[in-house]
Each structure stands twice: as structure tokens, then as C-alpha cells.
Amino acid sequence: MSQPPVITPLDEQDTTSFQIVGSRKERPASEQNPSRREFLQKGLSIAGWGALFACAAGGTYQTVRFFFPSVVFHPPSVFQIGRLEDFLSTGQPDAHGVILVEDRFKQEHRFFVVREPARIYALFARCTHLGCTVNWFSNLRIFKCPCHGSEFHSDGREFAGPAPRPLDRLKISLDTEGNLLVDTSVVYTAQEFEAKKAYIEIG
Ligand code: FES
């Protein structure tokens, strides 16, 4: 509501002359408090940008999930080799207690999977003499090194040639979903097989 003009006398002695010294006219509400208006504008602007970024982030997340679905990532040295059931065998243990030597991982990952009646472990295919890659001869049930002729039983123990000790083993474990994992960065020598539990027990 507008205020009435203020009328004051021109001369304090002359009370017959007056002047209008001003009228207080109310400004529109939008002009009353510019700082409040600016604050609201900034707030709306920030909210708008926030919503835009939220939409963009949501879209990016969905895109990443599309191209990279939920899978378990392992370090590059850890390989999932299957499940225990994949290494079942009805064969009888040989003279060294080994039922099965699986050599399909040798070419790419340089290890063998060895199955005994109550255990499974990963033998490192690196000769313990000077490091050549050994081969498995299933008909003879031995590993042989092509470099200087070292030979190893099916359980990895050396018995001929210059190799000074059994083949090493790699860390083997089961993940929470029952998959067998072999970590080629963790190597155990024969003295550590039991202490480090370089095998998986089969119940
Ligand atoms: S490297 Fe295998 S016997 Fe020498």
C-alpha cells in the first residue's frame, strides 16, 4: 500500500505556505530485495546444473555397465582354471600318487594342474636347473626338460639330470564361487609345500 505524501511548511514562521517534500512510493516486490533475488537465481542455476550432471553421470554409469557387466576382475597373474569337478578322474593313482596331470595350461600360462586322490595343485613348468620349460609325457608319466635332460616324476620330484630339486608349485586357491584360481606370481619351493598349503584339499 502506498504512503501519503509528506507536507511540510516552507517557513517555520509562515505556516500558510507548504511544500510537498516527497511521496514514498512502494517499489515492486521484485525490486525490494535484489540480493534475495540473486540468491534465488543462483540457487536455481546450481540446481539446474546439478540435475544435468546427475543425468550425465547416470547415463555414463549405465553405459559402462553395458560394456563392462558385473564380473570379478583378478590381477593379471591370477588365472581361473575351472572348478574342482573339471579335474575329476576315475583313474587309479600312479606310483607317485598322481591320478591326473592336466597340461592344457602349459602353453599359455606355464603350469600343470596335478590331481591326487585328496589334493589338487599347480606345478610350475619351469625346470629347476636353469629355467627351461618342461614337457609332460603322459605315456611315461614323467616331465622332461628339453635343455639338459632333467626328468621329474608326475608329482614333480626330480629323479634324473642336473635339476637340483623338485618342480616348484604355484599358489592355488578357491574363490567364493568355487572357482579354482592359480596365481603365477606366487611360487613355492618343495620345502614350503606343506607350510604354505600349496594345494587344495578335496573332501
Ligand atoms: S634347464 Fe632343465 S635341465 Fe637344464
Side-chain angles (χ1 to χ4, degrees), residues 35-101:
S35 63
R36 182 164 168 264
R37 190 177 69 248
E38 288 168 8
F39 175 78
L40 285 172
Q41 285 176 337
K42 284 180 181 172
L44 287 172
S45 175
I46 290 170
W49 279 108
L52 186 64
F53 280 124
C55 288
T60 303
Y61 175 74
Q62 292 301 333
T63 303
V64 170
R65 286 296 304 271
F66 177 80
F67 287 107
F68 302 97
S70 294
V71 293
V72 178
F73 291 99
H74 299 295
S77 63
V78 177
F79 302 101
Q80 187 174 303
I81 61 170
R83 304 172 68 84
L84 282 175
E85 309 89 83
D86 299 330
F87 299 94
L88 291 178
S89 173
T90 54
Q92 291 298 307
D94 63 18
H96 304 283
V98 171
I99 297 175
L100 174 75
V101 174

Side-chain angles (χ1 to χ4, degrees), residues 127 129-132 145 147-150 162-163:
C127 180
H129 178 220
L130 293 177
C132 293
C145 178
C147 293
H148 311 102
S150 288

Side-chain angles (χ1 to χ4, degrees), residues 32-198:
Q32 277 186 347
N33 194 345
S35 63
R36 182 164 168 264
R37 190 177 69 248
E38 288 168 8
F39 175 78
L40 285 172
Q41 285 176 337
K42 284 180 181 172
L44 287 172
S45 175
I46 290 170
W49 279 108
L52 186 64
F53 280 124
C55 288
T60 303
Y61 175 74
Q62 292 301 333
T63 303
V64 170
R65 286 296 304 271
F66 177 80
F67 287 107
F68 302 97
S70 294
V71 293
V72 178
F73 291 99
H74 299 295
S77 63
V78 177
F79 302 101
Q80 187 174 303
I81 61 170
R83 304 172 68 84
L84 282 175
E85 309 89 83
D86 299 330
F87 299 94
L88 291 178
S89 173
T90 54
Q92 291 298 307
D94 63 18
H96 304 283
V98 171
I99 297 175
L100 174 75
V101 174
E102 177 58 67
D103 66 352
R104 67 186 138 114
F105 305 104
K106 189 206 84 175
Q107 194 71 29
E108 193 172 354
H109 303 307
R110 215 183 178 201
F111 63 80
F112 302 95
V113 177
V114 178
R115 169 75 201 276
E116 295 181 357
R119 290 182 174 186
I120 189 167
Y121 49 89
L123 274 184
F124 197 5
R126 181 183 65 185
C127 180
T128 51
H129 178 220
L130 293 177
C132 293
T133 299
V134 300
N135 298 307
W136 169 243
F137 292 83
S138 57
N139 54 330
L140 300 173
R141 297 199 67 77
I142 62 171
F143 298 98
K144 277 188 182 180
C145 178
C147 293
H148 311 102
S150 288
E151 296 179 347
F152 306 81
H153 293 303
S154 55
D155 60 356
R157 281 182 295 123
E158 83 286 5
F159 69 92
R165 65 175 196 275
L167 294 173
D168 299 328
R169 291 187 192 178
L170 302 174
K171 181 180 179 182
I172 189 168
S173 58
L174 275 173
D175 69 11
T176 54
E177 295 175 351
N179 300 303
L180 283 164
L181 306 176
V182 173
D183 188 343
T184 56
S185 70
V186 182
V187 181
Y188 301 121
T189 58
Q191 292 86 353
E192 301 173 299
F193 289 170
E194 292 302 322
K196 301 287 186 179
K197 208 168 179 231

